[in-house]
Amino acid sequence: MHIRFYHAPDANCCERLLWILDYKQVPYERIDVGLTQVGEHVTQHSPFARVPLMEVDGVPLSESMAMAEFIEELAPNPPLQYTAAFARAQVREICEAVNSSIHPQQNGSTVRYFHPEWSREQMKPTRANWLYINLQKLQGRLWRSSQFAVGAQFTQADIFLGIIYRKAVDLGVPVTDLPLYEKHWQFLMSHEAIRLSCPV
């Protein structure tokens, strides 16, 4: 099986998949493209002409959640999911909160649609504020059993949270404004296998 992964720098959804692939040590071919000019191949094979795009033996897959689930099934060890059905649902709940409720609205292309006159720098405060507000809302669902996001092991939820938290910091949210997320990030980075596979 040959996996080709199309990636753009600073793209949250791409960073999630890189972390998952590298943590699981799944072999893949990485192709870096631009964030706004993704090229003809991605435009032709992604319904929304954007990355991430994964091709498995030449067949395209275009949504990061679908890719994350596929990789988990392809390479179940080391696990990034639980075996118990409800625990798996709890991990998916956090991933979907990030993927569907938090990330899309702050995406640069979304903000540009409503404010085409804004530069990337002008977008930053709006994007940062959205992330801050919604990460605050999500806190009540996190770290109930341990310092891992859900339950007592490293899962996809930790990866999705870690990447979106780092995006908030990159956009200007002070680490002191999200202290529980910063504590979670430092906890993850204290684990060698997790730190070494992290693309951020």
Side-chain angles (χ1 to χ4, degrees):
M1 179 179 293
H2 181 254
I3 295 175
R4 181 178 289 122
F5 184 71
Y6 292 83
H7 164 269
D10 298 323
N12 292 23
C13 296
C14 293
E15 302 302 320
R16 301 170 192 165
L17 273 299
L18 287 179
W19 199 346
I20 291 170
L21 286 163
D22 290 343
Y23 181 74
K24 288 178 169 288
Q25 298 182 3
V26 173
Y28 65 97
E29 176 188 358
R30 173 174 160 174
I31 299 175
D32 289 328
V33 298
L35 194 55
T36 54
Q37 300 295 324
V38 295
E40 185 178 346
H41 186 85
V42 173
T43 300
Q44 288 179 347
H45 292 88
S46 169
F48 301 104
R50 67 186 181 206
V51 288
L53 175 69
M54 177 182 285
E55 291 178 338
V56 182
D57 292 336
V59 180
L61 195 60
S62 66
E63 292 294 331
S64 64
M65 276 300 300
M67 295 177 208
E69 297 270 337
F70 167 71
I71 296 165
E72 186 66 24
E73 293 174 10
L74 176 69
N77 291 304
L80 285 172
Q81 252 296 8
Y82 292 104
T83 55
F86 191 70
R88 293 174 73 87
Q90 289 176 304
V91 170
R92 290 189 183 109
E93 175 188 32
I94 300 308
C95 291
E96 275 300 325
V98 172
N99 188 54
S100 300
S101 298
I102 299 176
H103 171 77
Q105 291 84 346
Q106 68 78 44
N107 191 289
S109 60
T110 303
V111 178
R112 184 174 292 110
Y113 178 83
F114 292 102
H115 296 281
E117 75 282 5
W118 285 3
S119 69
R120 288 182 66 84
E121 281 301 310
Q122 288 173 311
M123 292 180 190
K124 281 186 175 181
T126 296
R127 296 175 68 192
N129 191 49
W130 176 264
L131 291 176
Y132 169 73
I133 290 169
N134 287 282
L135 288 173
Q136 288 276 39
K137 290 178 180 179
L138 190 57
Q139 286 182 167
R141 282 284 205 270
L142 306 171
W143 313 302
R144 291 177 170 182
S145 304
S146 74
Q147 292 184 70
F148 289 113
V150 177
Q153 75 179 50
F154 184 56
T155 67
Q156 292 175 9
D158 293 288
I159 289 175
F160 277 59
L161 282 175
I163 295 294
I164 200 72
Y165 165 67
R166 294 310 302 171
K167 174 58 71 174
V169 172
D170 290 346
L171 289 171
V173 179
V175 296
T176 52
D177 285 3
L178 293 169
L180 296 180
Y181 287 92
E182 178 61 16
K183 182 179 179 182
H184 174 244
W185 180 259
Q186 294 303 326
F187 171 73
L188 295 180
M189 294 302 101
S190 71
H191 293 258
E192 185 176 17
I194 295 172
R195 183 182 72 253
L196 292 178
S197 61
C198 177
V200 177

